[in-house]
Amino acid sequence: MYNINVLYEDNHIIVVEKKPNVLSQGDITGDIDLLTMVKEYVKVKYKKLGNVYIGLVHRLDRPVGGVMVFARTSKAAKRLNEQIKNHDFNKTYVAVLDGVLKKEKGELLDYLYKDLKTGKSKIVDENYPGAKLSKLNYEVIGYARDKTIVKINLITGRHHQIRLQFKNLGYPLFGDQLYGRQNKEQIRLYAYKLSFTHPTKKEKLEFTLLPKWKELENETIIHRL
């Protein structure tokens, strides 16, 4: 059985940590993915025969780590997807930006277009065919030398949205090999908090897990998260 960090589980959902550089679901690389790992975990732990249903509700980019929830029933998947559609499903990120961002709070509004041929997205004019409105709010919670640490509330969930919007602002994410300044560092982007309503119990749930980054060693910064 795969070694995964389970934060919560019941008959309807399972909440786990996605490690950086692990796929949310399988792709053409054939590399192991979290969806498969969760299926195997449930199958072995509960001695399930045949196929195990695990519904993929949301995704995180491959290099990005954080908290994810999977549905264990189709009913739970449907209700969680409805929450996402109605913006009642909240993901909060922490990121480290290259450069010193002076404006402590802000809202970023852009239009993004995903190029299916290249697998990359870009910021375009709102009238560009296929453009989608992308929105997030951020708050500066600290600094680490020439870098800025921000807390991000994602309003829309577009492809590579956080990475592109901060790059467009002039502050690419530290360690972003695709859109930022290339180096050998792991990207500093982590979905550290996830909150939603339980699909059957109707209780508000919140899960928090912080990444182990050297930039987050300051207790003052951690307190602001």
Side-chain angles (χ1 to χ4, degrees):
M1 185 166 64
Y2 296 107
N3 182 25
I4 59 175
N5 182 15
V6 178
L7 307 180
Y8 174 87
E9 61 181 303
D10 61 25
N11 291 333
H12 308 280
I13 61 172
I14 179 168
V15 181
V16 301
E17 177 190 12
K18 177 189 169 304
K19 300 288 187 181
N21 297 318
V22 173
L23 291 164
S24 293
Q25 66 177 139
D27 66 6
I28 59 173
T29 65
D31 294 340
I32 190 61
D33 62 279
L34 188 56
L35 178 61
T36 298
M37 294 166 72
V38 172
K39 283 184 179 181
E40 181 68 14
Y41 168 84
V42 170
K43 185 170 186 175
V44 172
K45 181 174 181 179
Y46 298 100
K47 299 178 181 179
K48 298 280 188 179
L49 299 176
N51 292 328
V52 172
Y53 177 86
I54 298 293
L56 182 71
V57 177
H58 63 116
R59 298 172 179 82
L60 293 174
D61 293 346
R62 180 168 186 161
V64 179
V67 183
M68 289 186 66
V69 59
F70 292 86
R72 290 193 58 192
T73 67
S74 57
K75 179 187 289 186
K78 180 181 178 181
R79 291 180 177 176
L80 288 172
N81 279 315
E82 287 173 352
Q83 290 184 48
I84 294 173
K85 184 178 179 180
N86 296 328
H87 302 292
D88 295 324
F89 184 98
N90 300 306
K91 290 187 287 184
T92 309
Y93 292 75
V94 60
V96 179
L97 313 178
D98 264 325
V100 179
L101 181 58
K102 299 276 172 68
K103 189 176 180 182
E104 292 195 353
K105 292 183 179 181
E107 178 183 85
L108 301 185
L109 284 171
D110 295 288
Y111 286 85
L112 267 63
Y113 171 78
K114 181 180 178 181
D115 188 330
L116 297 177
K117 292 182 180 179
T118 64
K120 296 178 69 174
S121 291
K122 60 183 178 180
I123 291 180
V124 296
D125 182 81
E126 63 179 300
N127 296 317
Y128 192 92
K132 293 184 177 180
L133 176 65
S134 302
K135 181 179 178 181
L136 63 80
N137 299 320
Y138 74 85
E139 176 185 353
V140 174
I141 59 173
Y143 299 92
R145 295 188 178 180
D146 58 346
K147 303 177 186 67
T148 305
I149 305 167
V150 293
K151 178 169 63 174
I152 302 162
N153 181 27
L154 197 61
I155 309 301
T156 59
R158 308 304 184 197
H159 181 253
H160 294 171
Q161 177 182 339
I162 293 174
R163 301 160 72 179
L164 271 169
Q165 288 195 276
F166 279 102
K167 178 191 176 183
N168 188 58
L169 191 64
Y171 299 88
L173 270 61
F174 180 66
D176 189 346
Q177 308 301 322
L178 193 60
Y179 299 106
R181 302 180 184 126
Q182 293 187 356
N183 52 42
K184 295 181 180 180
E185 294 284 347
Q186 175 66 41
I187 189 172
R188 298 296 198 271
L189 179 61
Y190 197 88
Y192 80 94
K193 185 190 295 183
L194 182 65
S195 60
F196 56 91
T197 301
H198 193 283
T200 59
K201 299 177 182 178
K202 305 303 181 183
E203 299 172 348
K204 192 70 175 180
L205 301 178
E206 182 174 286
F207 302 94
T208 302
L209 188 65
L210 294 178
K212 296 179 180 178
W213 297 340
K214 56 188 176 185
E215 293 89 357
L216 294 183
E217 292 174 353
N218 187 313
E219 289 296 327
T220 302
I221 294 174
I222 293 176
H223 178 73
R224 296 189 68 184
L225 285 169

